[in-house]
Amino acid sequence: MLRKKPRLVTLLAFLPFLALPALVGGPVARAAEAPAKPNPSPGGVVRLSNEFIQVVVNASPDATGRFSVSTTGGNPDRADDDNRPLIYGGEEPWTSFTTVRLDGQNYVFGGATHLPAGRGGPFGTRVTAPRLVENGQGIEAAWQFPGQVEVIQRLGITRGHTTGLLDTVRIEYVLVNHDQQPHTVGLRIVLDTMAGSNDGAPFRVGERAVESDTSLQGVGRSTPEFFQVFDSLSRPAVIAQGTLRGGEITPPDRVYFTNWGVLRESLWDFDFKPGRTFERKGEYELDSAVALFYEPQPLAAGASRSIVVYYGLGGISIAPGQLAVGLSGPETAIIGQNEPLTIVSYVQNTGRGDARSVKIRLALPDGLELAPGEQAERDLGSIGSGATKQAVWSVRVTAGAPTEVTYSARAEATNAEPNTARRTMRLVAPARLSVRLRGPARIGVVDGRWDPSPFEVVGSVTNEGGVEAYGVSAQLVTIYGLRIAPGASAWQYVGTLRPGETVDLSWLVTPTGVSGNVPYSLKVAYQGAGEQPVPTNTVVIPPLPIQILVKGGAGWTGQGLAVGKAFNVEILARNLPPFARGRIDVAFDPAVLRLVAGALSVDRGTLFVAGGEGAQEEGGSSFTVEAADSEAGRVTVSVAGPKGVPAGQAASLLVLRLAVKGAGAGSVRIQSAEFRDAAGQVVYRLGPPGPLPELEVTATGKAAPLGKGSSSKGP
């Protein structure tokens, strides 16, 4: 049997609530931080790390996409938690894996493996191999499953909930339905947790120390905000934390603390036995793990859904003594938030005998208060030598302005000296986004077209609040007169926007034909925000002139054409309003030019060809050559709609096939053109006495060689 290396603790940390520093007497001061950077990696892994933590993703052919997490420098106030594993796997991650439950069938995310965890599959098809993204600040991999459902795994480094440091791994799965039909999709995420070398330390969940199979069902307000993992309060190897709700985290529907052995051999349901120790199934080593279940939910055609987990280091302020006291809570709290905060205190008896009648009392400063129904003092009873007990309080923020406060927990016993742990918390303003929208005040017209078109619109979104804004997205709204350029979307997803951070979003926009002062606006949304102000700009769109043009087409080489040279002439329309019928008269100099093949030399333009440039639905339209007189140098056609050339576009009305008949100067010109609507009203008319469009032609006496584009015969 393949065995894992002996290990001993578990750890977890998933939402915006985790962290690292375990301090004596108070929280750690913020250390200088550098952004996460990719480190040179041996073949087979992709790595992302900073001075606190690193995540390693398996890029080898076996178990591709699975990851491990470990400390680098760990808690900056401690030297003994460097280079400690948090999720088992090191340089060869394979034991933690994710199941995709799709329409009732289970699939393993990532590549196939010969190792026990998820070995039987089935597996999906790789879309994106593990790679660094976001300028080296993240790692992404993607697999597609039946029904065109894609699952994208994104890993990055974020701030811990109780430390405020960049010591936590952000784990995100994005479920995308590329199909035309809805599907039902859920996830099971197995984290093979480990805190240092200890794979049997208890999960500290609420007021319980969990050391055997335990489940949390129906995650909600009654579920603990976070849990922590450590072996000894007075000398912890590594302090780990997992958060179950709050911020951008996706609360799991079910959480199981169990041994890794029963999870490795299943993809969804597993052998869960309440009260069973964390000894690995069939063996005698402690091997704890956590399974997070996100029950299947409908995913509509074209829709996507994001599931976010935080896993990293936890922060506890520790006051050593016979009654060692630890105190933990969020490093930052938001003024005005409705959800109560969780504060946890631990008391460890480091003496030789029992500590009797132990009590712990929480003292709160101005700006914080106990939630309704909470009592400041808790009776912990007797605590045996080396044992630890814990108490949990729900606390509300009452401060009206940003500030920093200190709270404390005092432990007393009838046979031990009292001891107090203190910890600070920053009370900050909520995320608040300001939005600026900019674009040209007006656009011009060049050669019958808008210029520039498309034009750029830029929205700048800044977080002016005190905490991150999660799930930020923006939509450019064009009510009339404008549209988003083809191939682009009105929606852009930003994700997390840190305090003080600004992001610029760009759209390319095209006029649709409405002239005047045309408005557009930008809607911004983010998690937990209500209705946001919508900035609106306007742009002056000038009307476009209607134009009928005469242009050289295939075979046209410019002036100085040789006798016998054949070429096409196109009659083009720009910005022509919708019409029901029309008539076009074209003249050319018969001494210089001739029709190559009489009426057969007159062909319909793209406007009257289904699928042609500027063409609309046929709708019973017609194109009739009424006259094609080469001797008189005259062509007349009548057309019937409904037709039209949209503003900003051009389409050909007809094409003439001409040849040079004799030397001299001549031209091809519009004699007249008229278009009427269904009621008989003229929508556009071109004719004398105004200037008429023409194409000048100069022919030489030299005969062109016979061949393609030339003819020795005429009508």
Side-chain angles (χ1 to χ4, degrees):
M1 170 185 293
L2 178 67
R3 295 170 62 92
K4 290 159 59 178
K5 293 186 252 183
R7 331 161 318 148
L8 248 170
V9 129
T10 70
L11 177 176
L12 196 217
F14 350 170
L15 40 93
F17 302 116
L18 339 131
L20 171 153
L23 320 171
V24 175
V28 71
R30 231 174 240 254
E33 296 167 348
K37 58 181 181 294
N39 294 330
S41 303
V45 301
V46 180
R47 185 190 320 274
L48 186 66
S49 69
N50 64 11
E51 63 266 45
F52 306 116
I53 200 167
Q54 74 168 349
V55 57
V56 173
V57 179
N58 189 337
S60 75
D62 192 287
T64 316
R66 302 189 190 188
F67 59 90
S68 67
V69 177
S70 61
T71 66
T72 51
N75 184 339
D77 278 5
R78 296 174 53 195
D80 57 355
D81 68 348
D82 297 359
N83 303 311
R84 299 294 187 96
L86 301 178
I87 293 180
Y88 181 79
E91 297 296 309
E92 299 176 307
W94 63 274
T95 57
S96 297
F97 66 103
T98 296
T99 299
V100 179
R101 191 169 180 87
L102 172 60
D103 296 334
Q105 175 67 45
N106 298 321
Y107 301 89
V108 177
F109 177 86
T113 181
H114 74 284
L115 298 167
R119 174 167 48 198
F123 303 90
T125 302
R126 188 177 71 187
V127 176
T128 304
R131 61 176 182 174
L132 289 164
V133 295
E134 299 174 3
N135 297 318
Q137 299 302 297
I139 301 175
E140 182 174 286
W143 266 257
Q144 184 160 296
F145 300 91
Q148 300 183 58
V149 173
E150 182 180 2
V151 178
I152 306 167
Q153 175 184 277
R154 293 173 178 158
L155 305 174
I157 295 178
T158 191
R159 293 194 183 277
H161 176 54
T162 53
T163 64
L165 301 177
L166 294 171
D167 56 11
T168 294
V169 174
R170 180 182 187 271
I171 305 163
E172 180 183 21
Y173 290 95
V174 181
L175 317 178
V176 185
N177 183 5
H178 297 292
D179 202 357
Q180 300 300 311
Q181 302 296 325
H183 294 281
T184 302
V185 190
L187 288 185
R188 187 192 81 167
I189 302 172
V190 170
L191 298 176
D192 186 11
T193 56
M194 187 174 188
S197 60
N198 190 338
D199 207 5
F203 295 92
R204 313 254 175 203
V205 186
E207 297 189 339
R208 294 182 293 171
V210 175
E211 300 180 89
S212 60
D213 277 21
T214 301
S215 67
L216 303 177
Q217 304 283 339
V219 169
R221 293 189 177 184
S222 61
T223 299
E225 183 180 344
F226 61 86
F227 63 85
Q228 295 177 324
V229 184
F230 56 87
D231 46 5
S232 169
L233 181 65
S234 57
R235 296 183 61 85
V238 174
I239 298 175
Q241 178 177 306
T243 308
L244 300 178
R245 56 181 173 86
E248 69 169 335
I249 203 69
T250 308
D253 297 298
R254 293 180 283 150
V255 179
Y256 291 89
F257 304 98
T258 187
N259 77 82
W260 175 79
V262 296
L263 292 171
R264 73 180 181 185
E265 61 190 23
S266 67
L267 297 186
W268 194 260
D269 297 321
F270 66 98
D271 178 21
F272 177 72
K273 295 181 179 179
R276 179 180 56 194
T277 68
F278 292 155
E279 286 184 356
R280 189 160 59 233
K281 184 177 180 181
E283 302 176 34
Y284 301 99
E285 293 175 347
L286 293 175
D287 191 354
S288 56
V290 175
L292 309 175
F293 284 78
Y294 300 86
E295 300 294 358
Q297 296 180 16
L299 189 63
S304 65
R305 183 165 72 249
S306 173
I307 292 173
V308 177
V309 171
Y310 278 22
Y311 179 101
L313 291 159
I316 303 176
S317 301
I318 302 172
Q322 182 177 347
L323 290 180
V325 181
L327 190 58
S328 185
E331 187 269 344
T332 299
I334 302 172
I335 296 169
Q337 71 180 59
N338 295 322
E339 289 293 318
L341 311 173
T342 297
I343 292 177
V344 181
S345 183
Y346 305 99
V347 180
Q348 181 183 17
N349 176 10
T350 65
R352 295 183 178 180
D354 290 355
R356 297 190 294 272
S357 301
V358 180
K359 298 181 185 298
I360 184 78
R361 171 177 282 273
L362 180 67
L364 297 176
D366 291 341
L368 297 176
E369 69 176 14
L370 291 170
E374 292 283 350
Q375 299 295 322
E377 186 171 283
R378 300 291 176 81
D379 187 350
L380 301 181
S382 294
I383 302 178
S385 177
T388 301
K389 289 189 177 182
Q390 60 207 63
V392 178
W393 293 269
S394 290
V395 174
R396 292 186 177 278
V397 178
T398 59
T403 185
E404 185 172 278
V405 297
T406 299
Y407 57 99
S408 63
R410 176 184 171 89
E412 297 179 348
T414 58
N415 60 338
E417 290 292 323
N419 195 15
T420 301
R422 294 177 176 83
R423 189 170 179 85
T424 61
M425 181 186 299
R426 293 187 306 124
L427 306 182
V428 300
R432 182 171 63 86
L433 301 187
S434 64
V435 182
R436 292 188 302 112
L437 188 58
R438 59 187 187 274
R442 65 180 300 122
I443 62 173
V445 176
V446 175
D447 195 22
R449 295 181 174 91
W450 288 300
D451 183 61
S453 179
F455 61 90
E456 185 181 34
V457 169
V458 177
S460 296
V461 184
T462 301
N463 184 358
E464 297 180 348
V467 294
E468 289 82 356
Y470 298 110
V472 179
S473 63
Q475 179 193 13
L476 188 70
V477 179
T478 55
I479 301 173
Y480 67 91
L482 300 171
R483 64 167 174 259
I484 308 298
S489 171
W491 287 92
Q492 293 195 40
Y493 182 73
V494 177
T496 300
L497 199 61
R498 297 185 297 272
E501 185 180 5
T502 298
V503 62
D504 289 332
L505 307 173
S506 175
W507 288 267
L508 292 178
V509 179
T510 303
T512 63
V514 176
S515 59
N517 220 20
V518 180
Y520 58 93
S521 59
L522 185 62
K523 286 185 176 180
V524 175
Y526 59 101
Q527 189 176 20
E531 191 72 21
Q532 299 296 301
V534 179
T536 299
N537 275 11
T538 59
V539 56
V540 175
I541 307 295
L544 292 177
I546 302 172
Q547 294 179 315
I548 306 295
L549 307 171
V550 184
K551 299 287 185 181
W556 172 258
T557 58
Q559 303 302 321
L561 300 176
V563 172
K565 172 68 175 178
F567 60 95
N568 287 357
V569 172
E570 295 186 62
I571 309 302
L572 302 173
R574 283 184 182 156
N575 317 313
L576 183 62
F579 63 88
R581 63 182 185 275
R583 180 185 174 93
I584 306 165
D585 291 311
V586 182
F588 57 89
D589 294 288
V592 178
L593 300 171
R594 61 179 176 81
L595 294 170
V596 171
L600 297 178
S601 301
V602 184
D603 199 3
R604 67 180 63 210
T606 58
L607 185 63
F608 302 97
V609 177
E613 182 182 359
Q616 300 169 357
E617 291 298 322
E618 287 291 327
S621 64
S622 64
F623 179 95
T624 303
V625 179
E626 295 189 355
D629 191 336
S630 193
E631 295 297 326
R634 184 172 294 274
V635 171
T636 300
V637 300
S638 61
V639 294
K643 287 293 179 182
V645 182
Q649 297 184 28
S652 62
L653 300 174
L654 67 145
V655 179
L656 304 179
R657 184 68 170 166
L658 299 173
V660 177
K661 182 178 179 181
S667 67
V668 181
R669 55 199 174 274
I670 303 295
Q671 289 291 90
S672 66
E674 183 179 274
F675 300 90
R676 295 177 179 268
D677 61 20
Q681 299 296 312
V682 174
V683 297
Y684 180 69
R685 177 181 289 145
L686 176 67
L692 299 175
E694 65 177 339
L695 174 68
E696 294 182 348
V697 179
T698 301
T700 66
K702 185 178 179 181
L706 294 177
K708 185 176 181 180
S710 303
S711 174
S712 62
K713 297 181 180 180

